[in-house]
Amino acid sequence: MTGKKSKHPTKRRTKAEWVSLIISLLLVSGVVCVVVALWLSPANRPTSFRVERSTIRHEENYYYLPIKVTNEGDATGAQVTVEGKLKSGSTEEAASTTFDFIPARSSAEGILIFTSDPTTAQVHVISYQQP
């Protein structure tokens, strides 16, 4: 029996199937390219923090100083402690807050609370851990 027909005749693909196949292939190759690019350029900048201050709010004898801490490095910082010191006359006031972690190239926000106007307060990261 040489002229036997196949049970499953070949079916031509429609234009919609070709378009969806091409889009899927482009998306998959894009993801592969991003993964390879990240793998080939390893993170090597150490953790580095920048602290930005926002507008001070005064309510009921307290001053609230919003801060934004940005990790500009390629490594995560854990237990990031930020301190604000305010010197007025012979007295010094300090306020601090700790962020659980700040991943590489990302930010976290917090508020330092003072009893005096913190316009001249010095605010900086005083410690962090390397996870």
Side-chain angles (χ1 to χ4, degrees):
M1 297 187 152
T2 56
K4 191 172 182 183
K5 290 187 178 181
S6 162
K7 283 185 179 180
H8 305 289
T10 58
K11 191 174 162 186
R12 294 186 54 135
R13 295 186 191 267
T14 65
K15 285 183 182 180
E17 289 174 323
W18 280 109
V19 168
S20 63
L21 175 66
I22 290 169
I23 291 173
S24 299
L25 288 174
L26 288 173
L27 289 173
V28 168
S29 43
V31 168
V32 168
C33 288
V34 167
V35 169
V36 168
L38 290 173
W39 180 64
L40 290 177
S41 62
N44 54 4
R45 284 184 23 202
T47 306
S48 172
F49 297 103
R50 177 174 39 93
V51 180
E52 298 174 37
R53 304 156 54 117
S54 294
T55 305
I56 298 168
R57 186 182 78 215
H58 181 236
E59 288 182 16
E60 298 182 22
N61 300 325
Y62 291 102
Y63 292 86
Y64 298 86
L65 175 61
I67 57 168
K68 180 178 180 181
V69 182
T70 303
N71 180 355
E72 296 176 335
D74 291 327
T76 298
Q79 298 301 311
V80 180
T81 302
V82 179
E83 182 180 63
K85 284 189 177 181
L86 175 62
K87 198 168 193 175
S88 58
S90 62
T91 62
E92 187 174 286
E93 182 177 0
S96 65
T97 187
T98 302
F99 299 95
D100 290 335
F101 65 93
I102 303 178
R105 295 180 299 271
S106 65
S107 300
E109 296 181 5
I111 296 177
L112 299 176
I113 303 172
F114 294 90
T115 56
S116 300
D117 185 359
T119 303
T120 61
Q122 295 179 355
V123 181
H124 58 277
V125 173
I126 59 170
S127 68
Y128 71 95
Q129 295 178 5
Q130 296 175 332

